[in-house]
Amino acid sequence: MTAETAVALPALVLLAAMLMWGVVAAAAQIRCVDAARIGARAAARGDANAAALARAAAPTGAVVQISRDGETVRVAVDAPCPGPGRLASALTARLSASAVAAREDVIGVTEGGER
């Protein structure tokens, strides 16, 4: 083994670990987006367990917040994504996503409450 290989090998291992962590983080971000979408769709229908449905689709440790505002409902999902190996606490990233949907229980309702 040459000196160049001895210097380059740890850098390549570190690069591979960071690339794998990037793939894991991207997958967790997609799960956050899906969870927000699922929660918004359920909350728009008036489903009482919309937060539970969103939490089930979200990554482990995610926080789901649902807010209703007039004719819309917004679901925000915030989840930690720990870093690779021993650097998990130092490289933790916060992932978030939100989705908005029109509430189905107020569509077509006028101020007087008539359709």
Side-chain angles (χ1 to χ4, degrees):
M1 181 160 26
T2 64
E4 292 84 10
T5 305
V7 170
L9 195 57
L12 290 176
V13 170
L14 180 62
L15 177 65
M18 293 305 291
L19 288 174
M20 287 189 293
W21 178 74
V23 169
V24 169
Q29 177 65 32
I30 292 170
R31 287 185 65 194
C32 285
V33 170
D34 287 343
R37 181 184 49 82
I38 289 168
R41 185 176 297 158
R45 287 191 313 255
D47 197 342
N49 62 349
L53 289 171
R55 252 185 247 103
T60 304
V63 175
V64 176
Q65 295 177 337
I66 298 177
S67 60
R68 290 171 178 80
D69 180 33
E71 297 180 358
T72 61
V73 62
R74 174 182 292 274
V75 176
V77 177
D78 186 36
C81 183
R86 294 182 181 187
L87 300 175
S89 62
L91 295 177
T92 297
R94 297 298 298 176
L95 305 174
S96 63
S98 64
V100 178
R103 291 176 54 188
E104 294 179 8
D105 59 345
V106 297
I107 293 177
V109 176
T110 62
E111 276 188 38
E114 299 176 13
R115 289 183 179 242

